[in-house]
Amino acid sequence: NAGVTQTPKFQVLKTGQSMTLQCAQDMNHNSMYWYRQDPGMGLRLIYYSASEGTTDKGEVPNGYNVSRLNKREFSLRLESAAPSQTSVYFCASSDSGAGDLEQYFGPGTRLTVT
Amino acid sequence: AQSVTQPDIHITVSEGASLELRCNYSYGATPYLFWYVQSPGQGLQLLLKYFSGDTLVQGIKGFEAEFKRSQSSFNLRKPSVHWSDAAEYFCAVGASGTYKYIFGTGTRLKVLA
C-alpha cells in the first residue's frame, strides 16, 4: 500500500498564480484532511472532509478551496496565491474522522510563493 | 476550547540518556491523546495514542507516555535515546464526535553522539 500520496512534492508560485495540490489515499478511509505547517505553529487544519461528498472549514480556510473528488482523492486549490501561503502542506486521512482514530499523513508539499 | 501546549521548543540529550517531552492539554471531557513524530522532510508518523483504560501506553520505537488527568498532561518518555530519534515530536488532542485534532507546536529533539 502506498498510504497517502501527495503531488507535487515542491512548488514555486508567483503571487496571484493558482494551483491545485493533489492527495490520494488507498486505505479506504472515510475522512481526509488538509493541514499547513509553519515554523513554531505546529499543524493547522485548513479543510477537512468527514466523508465522501462533504467538506468543512478548519481553522485557517481563507484563500483555499477543496474538492473531495471521490473517496480516494481530496484536492486543495489556491486560487490566487499569496506569500502568506508559503508553507508545507500535509494531507491526512483517517477511518472515521470522529476524533478518536489516528490520522495517516502524506509526505507533504513544500510551497513557496514569491 | 481545546488546546495543547508543548512548553519545550528544543531539547538536546546525549545518546543513551533518558528523554521526557512534555505535553499539557486543555479539554472539558476525557480527550483522545496522540504523539506523532516527524523526521526531517517527512510526514508525521503516529508513535502512540491514549483513548481510555491504562494510563501508561506503549508505542513504537520504545516510546511510552503517561496520561495524568489531575495534571492534564500526556508526557512522552524513552529510557534510552538513539541518534535516530532526532526529529520533531507533536502532541495532539482529539475528541469523540468531532473531526478535528488540535496539534501542539512541536518539540525538536537533538541527539548528541
Side-chain angles (χ1 to χ4, degrees):
Chain A
N1 283 352
V4 179
T5 57
Q6 294 182 235
T7 55
K9 286 186 168 35
F10 301 94
Q11 184 71 49
V12 179
L13 293 178
K14 294 186 188 308
T15 297
Q17 287 185 318
S18 63
M19 79 160 296
T20 300
L21 282 64
Q22 306 287 354
C23 173
Q25 52 91 10
D26 63 2
M27 296 173 282
N28 202 35
H29 284 169
N30 290 307
S31 303
M32 298 185 74
Y33 312 81
W34 277 105
Y35 293 90
R36 60 177 291 172
Q37 183 180 32
D38 302 293
M41 304 192 75
L43 278 79
R44 293 181 292 169
L45 184 64
I46 304 171
Y47 271 93
Y48 64 98
S49 170
S51 61
E52 187 178 356
T54 69
T55 60
D56 285 285
K57 295 178 181 179
E59 184 184 353
V60 288
N62 290 347
Y64 305 95
N65 286 300
V66 290
S67 295
R68 183 74 183 267
L69 304 170
N70 48 55
K71 192 170 186 179
R72 289 187 66 246
E73 299 171 289
F74 188 39
S75 62
L76 178 72
R77 183 162 177 82
L78 287 69
E79 291 289 353
S80 179
S84 60
Q85 294 178 305
T86 293
S87 187
V88 182
Y89 291 86
F90 288 99
C91 178
S93 69
S94 69
D95 199 15
S96 80
D100 56 349
L101 295 180
E102 63 190 90
Q103 296 184 8
Y104 294 80
F105 285 81
T109 295
R110 187 173 295 275
L111 175 67
T112 302
V113 183
T114 61
Chain B
Q2 290 173 262
S3 66
V4 177
T5 302
Q6 293 180 248
D8 303 305
I9 298 173
H10 297 279
I11 283 187
T12 300
V13 300
S14 297
E15 190 170 21
S18 63
L19 173 70
E20 182 169 30
L21 302 182
R22 295 183 291 164
C23 173
N24 294 98
Y25 68 90
S26 173
Y27 186 65
T30 299
Y32 298 104
L33 295 161
F34 306 84
W35 274 99
Y36 285 84
V37 61
Q38 183 182 31
S39 298
Q42 303 296 314
L44 278 72
Q45 180 185 22
L46 181 72
L47 283 176
L48 47 78
K49 59 191 175 188
Y50 172 78
F51 292 163
S52 64
D54 193 347
T55 57
L56 184 64
V57 293
Q58 303 296 322
I60 62 171
K61 306 186 181 190
F63 286 92
E64 66 178 27
E66 186 171 12
F67 171 60
K68 292 186 177 180
R69 184 190 301 276
S70 61
Q71 298 177 21
S72 297
S73 69
F74 188 56
N75 294 347
L76 182 71
R77 301 195 295 248
K78 187 169 185 178
S80 178
V81 170
H82 188 262
W83 64 265
S84 60
D85 293 325
E88 189 156 22
Y89 292 80
F90 291 94
C91 183
V93 61
S96 179
T98 74
Y99 296 90
K100 302 178 186 180
Y101 279 12
I102 302 296
F103 280 88
T105 52
T107 297
R108 188 171 296 277
L109 174 65
K110 182 177 180 179
V111 180
L112 301 176

